[in-house]
């Protein structure tokens, strides 16, 4: 039996980024992007009134939801009681405090499958959430995240465009990202002021390891910290006195600006810097 939540069981709070998905067709499309298989474990960020949760529960997968709003936690616990929904667990708290890496490792040890992540998330903490996922990339299979369309476009931006930047590089290093679905404001209550998009991040063939990710991102951040300046200025502090630096390669990049460098260029420059 499918559960239909009472209309607006929770009064939406702006500070928690609460825009509840009301379009059932879109909800189903988003869930299908997760390509759920048996033995999958799904982490849902910010389930709210359960627009996605109720569809996820139609699958045989384990679900670990993470919700900050106590009212939503209470609502979900009473709608999906443990006795009837033994595969549904709810962590009450801030997703940024959830030990995703340890959780994922435990899932892999137990099921031999990496978890999948889904969320129509609070847009004000999109960046925090994405970096939390990127840092767990080696332990995740994929993520389907609904975010503000502008942010989605930054993720898939090309070099030499104004959207190209830290988020683009981080996404490409950790995953294969793709805008899979555009979602109009009318699909939510209340209507957000912006368009939305569901982005799929495939973590199964990352460009670099998490270890390399931690090494190259400081260079990317410095480069784009002053994106109008030549790299010789913006990354001055990253030049070490080590003798394993490759000066000729560094010189080749120094008259360029960060937005002119491809992901591969950043990797080459980083290793030329001996980092
Ligand atoms: N996924 C639901 C709700 C989207 S609104 C839907 O599609 O309808 C965003 C949800 O994230 C809300 O339920 C909000 O309470 C929750 N949320 C906000 N900040 C959070 C945080 N720091 N950690 C976890 N959940 C959070």
């Amino acid at each position: 039996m499918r559960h239909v939540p009472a209309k607006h069981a929770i009064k939406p709070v702006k500070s928690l980024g609460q825009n509840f998905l009301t379009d059932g067709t879109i909800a189903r499309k988003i869930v299908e992007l997760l390509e759920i298989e048996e033995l999958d474990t799904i982490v849902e960020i910010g389930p709210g009134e359960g627009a996605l949760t109720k569809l996820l529960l139609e699958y045989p997968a384990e679900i670990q939801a993470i919700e900050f709003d106590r009212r939503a936690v209470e609502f979900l616990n009473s709608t999906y009681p443990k006795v009837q929904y033994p595969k549904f667990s709810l962590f009450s708290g801030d997703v940024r405090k959830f030990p995703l890496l340890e959780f994922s490792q435990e899932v892999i040890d137990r099921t031999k499958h990496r978890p999948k992540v889904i969320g129509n998330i609070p847009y004000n903490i999109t960046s925090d959430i994405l970096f939390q996922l990127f840092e767990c990339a080696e332990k995740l299979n994929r993520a389907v995240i609904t975010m503000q369309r502008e942010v989605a476009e930054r993720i898939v931006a090309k070099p030499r465009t104004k959207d190209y930047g830290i988020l683009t590089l981080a996404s490409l290093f950790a995953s294969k990202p793709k805008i899979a679905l555009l979602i109009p404001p009318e699909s939510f209550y209340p209507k957000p002021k912006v368009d939305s998009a569901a982005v799929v991040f495939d973590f199964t063939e990352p460009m670099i390891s998490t270890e390399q990710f931690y090494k190259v991102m400081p260079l990317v951040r410095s480069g784009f910290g002053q994106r109008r300046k030549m790299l010789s200025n913006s990354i001055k502090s990253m030049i070490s006195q080590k003798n394993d630096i490759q000066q000729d390669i560094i010189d080749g990049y120094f008259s360029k600006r960060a937005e002119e460098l491809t992901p591969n260029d950043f990797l080459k420059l980083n290793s030329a810097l001996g980092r």
Side-chain angles (χ1 to χ4, degrees):
M1 204 180 72
R2 202 174 297 161
H3 170 80
V4 182
K7 267 250 177 290
H8 322 316
I10 299 160
K11 189 169 179 288
V13 175
K14 202 170 174 199
S15 63
L16 287 176
Q18 290 180 337
N19 298 95
F20 298 118
L21 187 64
T22 48
D23 184 325
T25 309
I26 299 267
R28 198 164 283 280
K29 282 188 185 159
I30 294 172
V31 167
E32 279 167 7
L33 291 170
L34 208 51
E35 298 179 4
I36 302 172
E37 291 170 49
E38 232 176 308
L39 299 178
D40 271 346
T41 301
I42 296 158
V43 176
E44 187 188 358
I45 302 171
E49 291 184 331
L52 301 178
T53 323
K54 72 170 183 219
L55 300 178
L56 295 172
L57 284 165
E58 294 175 0
Y59 293 84
E62 303 257 348
I63 299 163
Q64 172 65 60
I66 305 164
E67 174 57 61
F68 186 73
D69 187 334
R70 290 273 168 87
R71 300 169 306 163
V73 168
E74 230 169 79
F75 173 82
L76 291 163
N77 273 331
S78 63
T79 313
Y80 305 113
K82 201 79 199 159
V83 272
Q84 263 166 284
Y85 298 89
K87 287 177 172 245
F88 179 63
S89 311
L90 189 52
F91 171 91
S92 169
D94 187 333
V95 61
R96 292 167 292 183
K97 300 273 162 64
F98 182 81
L100 185 60
L101 195 66
E102 291 78 4
F103 174 86
S104 303
Q105 187 59 58
E106 186 272 319
V107 167
I108 294 167
D109 292 344
R110 189 161 44 83
T111 69
K112 309 283 174 261
H113 283 62
R114 297 185 191 184
K116 295 176 175 174
V117 179
I118 192 166
N120 294 345
I121 59 170
Y123 293 176
N124 54 332
I125 56 170
T126 301
S127 200
D128 286 357
I129 292 174
L130 293 182
F131 275 90
Q132 187 179 8
L133 299 182
F134 298 156
E135 285 164 14
C136 297
E138 286 175 348
K139 310 277 180 214
L140 299 174
N141 175 289
R142 63 164 51 211
V144 177
I145 305 295
T146 301
M147 61 188 75
Q148 188 175 336
R149 182 178 177 173
E150 273 89 350
V151 179
E153 272 159 9
R154 271 158 49 200
I155 288 170
V156 299
K158 297 285 174 244
R160 297 168 187 273
T161 64
K162 70 166 175 29
D163 279 349
Y164 186 69
I166 297 168
L167 199 52
T168 322
L169 273 303
S171 303
L172 286 174
F173 286 142
S175 76
K176 266 203 199 118
K178 194 179 139 195
I179 295 183
L181 188 66
L182 297 178
I183 309 169
E186 294 71 35
S187 303
F188 300 90
Y189 175 82
K191 275 198 280 183
K193 291 200 172 68
V194 294
D195 286 332
S196 302
V199 179
V200 177
F201 299 89
D202 180 348
F203 295 112
T204 59
E205 293 167 57
M207 196 169 163
I208 57 175
S209 66
T210 305
E211 193 187 341
Q212 285 173 296
F213 182 89
Y214 281 114
K215 282 188 186 158
V216 72
M217 284 312 294
L219 173 66
V220 173
R221 287 182 191 280
S222 305
F224 283 101
Q226 297 165 288
R227 64 183 293 148
R228 310 244 37 100
K229 289 201 176 162
M230 286 201 300
L231 286 169
S232 53
N233 282 312
S234 57
I235 65 164
K236 218 179 284 168
S237 64
M238 310 216 92
I239 300 165
S240 65
Q241 299 309 313
K242 286 193 226 156
N243 43 17
D244 56 350
I245 61 168
Q246 296 162 272
Q247 197 60 48
D248 52 331
I249 295 182
I250 298 173
D251 289 344
Y253 284 119
F254 259 13
S255 58
K256 294 186 191 288
R257 283 175 285 134
E259 61 184 33
E260 298 176 274
L261 268 58
T262 64
N264 260 320
D265 288 330
F266 273 105
L267 296 175
K268 269 191 234 160
L269 175 56
N270 205 47
S271 81
L273 287 164
R275 293 165 36 80

